[in-house]
């Protein structure tokens, strides 16, 4: 089934947490993707001669193994903001929000891509901070926490001689206690005035995207069972005016090509424009990387913004094989994508 998404004029992505940071490298194509990372503070007049601003190290965000994106879409005078995942640790989330001076008061919707701690660990404090900012901003509604209903008690992986468990994800009750309205959803649904579409389960079509090999879950009866597909992973997509779909992927356990293929299937006939998030190819072999780059090329994205679990080899491959498309996703950097004709004077 296909859905009608509202055309948006701009999409701003403030990366609150990613594995990597690089505040120095410039955008390769600032006309297409504006990227800013450094924040400067004003210096009192005359304190250091004619110097007007100071760059402080404590204003630079930290990297951490996980992902959190603050996404704002605008259409005319309307804008909506969605938090996509909250990174691995509450302290990291809070530190980077403070360092980047991110405004959480506009966050109406919190999306969890899947139940893995590197995406969910920061959620309780993120929700508390959003509520505090919204209360200070005039008592706005609680944010919705949009999560898949199938939360494993624990997830982990088979490391050969032993099973390694992750820490538990926050429970539904903990998210409610933090101040969210919890929505347990496994269906495809539009949110925030149809500016964003949240996917349901991603159909697995390619032969080379086989989930999270050796993934396991704890059943609660003392047993661990295979759980390689991570069926609860859901992506988010929006539609940039006259450019196409912007896809947000958490970890791409269903496969980045399967995710983009499904985004095209549900995205109302728009072409694929940009893909941002974790492509989960850091542990892929050479054949999988090759098949994935070919699969992406066939879908003709204009911009690829890999982060988190993508791995440096696949980023390098994008740069080599799809020149001009790579915009790495870095912790603390704010990226702006604009629709075609946006900001131009009417003819
Ligand atoms: Fe992840």
């Amino acid at each position: 089934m296909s859905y009608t998404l509202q055309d948006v004029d701009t999409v701003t992505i403030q990366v609150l947490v990613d594995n990597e940071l690089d505040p120095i490298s410039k955008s390769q194509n600032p006309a297409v993707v504006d990227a800013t990372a450094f924040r400067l503070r004003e210096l009192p007049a005359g304190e250091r001669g004619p110097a007007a601003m100071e760059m402080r190290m404590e204003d630079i965000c930290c990297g951490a193994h996980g992902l959190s994106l603050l996404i704002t879409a605008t259409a005319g005078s309307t804008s909506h903001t969605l938090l996509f995942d909250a990174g691995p640790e509450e302290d990291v989330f809070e530190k980077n929000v403070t360092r980047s001076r991110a405004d959480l008061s506009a966050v109406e919707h919190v999306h969890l891509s899947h139940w893995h701690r590197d995406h969910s660990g920061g959620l309780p404090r993120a929700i508390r901070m959003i509520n505090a900012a919204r209360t200070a901003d005039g008592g706005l509604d609680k944010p919705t926490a949009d999560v898949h209903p199938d939360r494993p008690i624990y997830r982990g992986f088979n490391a050969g001689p032993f099973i390694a468990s992750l820490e538990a994800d926050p429970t539904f009750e903990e998210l409610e206690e933090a101040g969210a309205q919890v929505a347990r959803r496994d269906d495809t649904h539009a949110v925030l005035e149809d500016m964003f579409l949240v996917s349901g389960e991603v159909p697995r079509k390619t032969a080379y995207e086989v989930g999270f090999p050796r993934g396991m879950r704890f059943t609660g009866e003392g047993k661990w069972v295979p759980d390689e597909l991570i069926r609860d992973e859901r992506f988010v997509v929006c539609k940039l005016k006259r450019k196409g779909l912007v896809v947000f992927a958490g970890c791409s356990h269903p496969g980045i090509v399967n995710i983009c293929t499904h985004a095209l299937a549900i995205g109302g006939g728009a072409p694929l424009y940009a893909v941002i998030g974790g492509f989960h190819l850091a542990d892929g072999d050479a054949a999988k990387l090759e098949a994935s780059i070919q699969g992406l090329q066939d879908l003709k994205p204009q911009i690829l913004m890999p982060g988190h679990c993508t791995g440096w080899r696949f980023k390098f491959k994008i740069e080599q094989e799809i020149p001009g498309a790579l915009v790495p996703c870095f912790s603390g950097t704010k990226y702006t994508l604009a629709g075609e004709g946006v900001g131009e004077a009417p003819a």
Side-chain angles (χ1 to χ4, degrees):
M1 185 175 165
S2 191
Y3 294 78
T4 305
L5 275 164
Q6 182 180 168
D7 279 337
V8 300
D9 295 332
T10 62
V11 183
T12 301
I13 304 131
Q14 184 154 3
V15 183
L16 296 177
V17 183
D18 189 86
N19 291 47
E20 289 186 62
L21 69 151
D22 175 357
I24 300 174
S25 293
K26 296 275 181 284
S27 171
Q28 296 199 83
N29 189 345
V32 177
V33 184
D34 179 51
T36 54
F38 280 122
R39 277 151 210 92
L40 302 176
R41 297 190 193 201
E42 275 186 29
L43 277 173
E47 187 194 284
R48 295 179 209 174
M53 307 293 282
E54 180 182 44
M55 185 179 78
R56 295 178 71 94
M57 296 301 112
E58 68 195 48
D59 288 338
I60 298 172
C61 285
C62 302
H65 178 68
L67 186 69
S68 179
L69 309 173
L70 185 65
I71 307 165
T72 297
T74 66
S77 58
T78 307
S79 75
H80 287 295
T81 298
L82 177 149
L83 179 69
F84 184 102
D85 294 343
E89 295 178 68
E90 294 187 307
D91 286 352
V92 171
F93 182 88
E94 181 167 0
K95 180 179 276 191
N96 282 359
V97 165
T98 304
R99 289 181 170 216
S100 62
R101 298 173 211 161
D103 178 11
L104 299 181
S105 67
V107 177
E108 299 156 88
H109 200 90
V110 179
H111 171 85
L112 178 64
S113 62
H114 65 300
W115 293 110
H116 260 158
R117 184 79 186 193
D118 50 329
H119 300 255
S120 68
L123 274 180
R125 194 171 308 169
I127 290 165
R128 285 196 172 86
M129 290 174 69
I130 291 165
N131 267 322
R134 287 174 74 74
T135 302
D137 204 21
L140 300 168
D141 291 344
K142 290 178 173 182
T144 297
D146 191 326
V147 298
H148 194 281
D150 181 21
R151 174 190 169 277
I153 299 169
Y154 286 99
R155 264 194 162 130
F157 55 93
N158 186 344
F162 53 86
I163 293 167
S165 173
L166 300 180
E167 299 159 84
D169 294 286
T171 62
F172 300 114
E173 293 71 26
E174 284 169 336
L175 300 180
E176 265 160 24
E177 278 165 24
Q181 303 183 64
V182 175
R184 305 182 193 198
R185 304 287 299 256
D186 61 2
D187 58 324
T188 310
H189 55 286
V191 298
L192 303 178
E193 294 191 85
D194 298 336
M195 281 191 180
F196 296 95
L197 189 61
V198 179
S199 80
E201 185 177 340
V202 178
R204 315 296 164 112
K205 297 197 166 169
T206 62
Y208 51 89
E209 293 176 316
V210 294
F212 179 37
R214 301 178 288 113
M216 301 192 82
R217 73 161 65 190
F218 186 61
T219 63
E221 287 133 25
K223 280 192 194 145
W224 286 80
V225 296
D227 181 17
E228 298 192 342
L229 291 179
I230 319 288
R231 291 182 186 277
D232 49 290
E233 181 160 347
R234 307 166 306 150
F235 62 86
V236 168
V237 58
C238 64
K239 187 168 65 154
L240 199 57
K241 192 176 183 180
R242 293 203 285 274
K243 284 196 172 168
L245 302 176
V246 180
V247 177
F248 300 93
C251 238
S252 294
H253 294 302
I256 192 63
V257 176
N258 283 333
I259 283 176
C260 292
T261 300
H262 193 50
L264 286 162
I266 63 177
L272 183 62
Y273 179 63
V275 189
I276 180 165
F279 294 14
H280 208 89
L281 289 164
D283 57 358
D285 60 21
K288 184 173 184 184
L289 267 55
E290 185 57 34
S292 299
I293 200 88
Q294 284 182 14
L296 282 173
Q297 278 176 310
D298 290 345
L299 301 175
K300 300 186 169 47
Q302 303 298 303
I303 296 173
L304 293 170
M305 305 177 69
H308 178 36
C309 51
T310 303
W312 64 269
R313 292 176 304 144
F314 197 70
K315 292 182 187 176
F316 187 60
K317 204 168 181 63
I318 292 170
E319 178 69 359
Q320 280 184 311
E321 301 196 21
I322 317 180
L326 180 68
V327 182
C329 167
F330 291 129
S331 194
T333 299
K334 188 175 185 176
Y335 304 89
T336 302
L337 311 176
E340 193 72 47
V342 172
E344 294 171 8

